Amino acid sequence: SLASSYYRCYGTPFAVIRFSNVYGRYDHDMDRLERAIWVFRDRIAQGAPVTVFGADKVLDFTYIDDAVAGIHACLGRLVGGDPSVVGNTFNLAHGTGHRLLGVVDLIADTLGRRPEVRIEPSRPGEVTWYVADITKARDAFGYDPRVPVTAGVPRAIREATPV
């Protein structure tokens, strides 16, 4: 990679961070982004049907505060030259999977509405199951996500601009 080349040539330390479905306040700009939580929130708030592509789809969602804490911890160790961080790749996620249908239910409960849910097959190329292994980040810089989706989604919806 370009980062590893700079490290070998110039000694510029790097770490690669991979995020998994980061959400939270300020993440609801539907003019720029189309993210599942906000698509579902808007459809449910408007009383429109919600389409979920993949009845058994499981994804790992990460609240923004956990992602920022992980970046901060990683950078602190990176700047300090910690060999367990320099040149390594880390997953920053919550490390737990949630069915997309469960996330729809959580949003509906938060809004106090019951949507019509339509289930379609997963679209070609979509990830249908992903739960990040965060062990390496936990071991290298003490990454410890604290906001589960059951607390983060309601918080994000309450903090978002009304529909």
Side-chain angles (χ1 to χ4, degrees):
S1 78
L2 182 59
S4 61
S5 295
Y6 264 77
Y7 180 62
R8 283 192 309 275
C9 290
Y10 306 109
T12 306
F14 76 96
V16 175
I17 296 175
R18 293 188 300 218
F19 300 100
S20 182
N21 296 305
V22 177
Y23 70 96
R25 56 188 163 280
Y26 313 119
D27 183 38
H28 55 280
D29 183 354
M30 294 299 284
D31 292 334
R32 294 183 315 112
L33 305 167
E34 187 172 291
R35 302 182 52 83
I37 289 173
W38 303 109
V39 170
F40 296 155
R41 190 265 330 237
D42 289 354
R43 302 285 298 170
I44 293 168
Q46 295 163 2
V50 173
T51 302
V52 174
F53 294 95
D56 296 322
K57 186 177 291 183
V58 172
L59 298 173
D60 195 341
F61 293 89
T62 313
Y63 193 70
I64 186 66
D65 292 359
D66 290 332
V68 170
I71 293 167
H72 185 263
C74 183
L75 284 174
R77 296 287 176 95
L78 181 66
V79 169
D82 185 330
S84 68
V85 172
V86 175
N88 283 304
T89 300
F90 302 97
N91 293 324
L92 293 188
H94 193 268
T96 57
H98 294 277
R99 289 184 64 217
L100 222 45
L101 286 171
V103 173
V104 169
D105 287 341
L106 185 57
I107 295 166
D109 291 345
T110 301
L111 296 175
R113 296 180 165 225
R114 290 279 43 113
E116 174 190 344
V117 178
R118 298 176 181 165
I119 299 172
E120 298 286 336
S122 292
R123 296 176 282 194
E126 282 187 330
V127 173
T128 58
W129 189 94
Y130 180 74
V131 178
D133 181 352
I134 60 172
T135 305
K136 195 171 169 184
R138 187 171 303 213
D139 292 347
F141 49 87
Y143 178 65
D144 184 26
R146 299 182 182 258
V147 184
V149 74
T150 53
V153 166
R155 184 186 309 172
I157 289 173
R158 284 191 304 270
E159 293 174 345
T161 305
V163 179

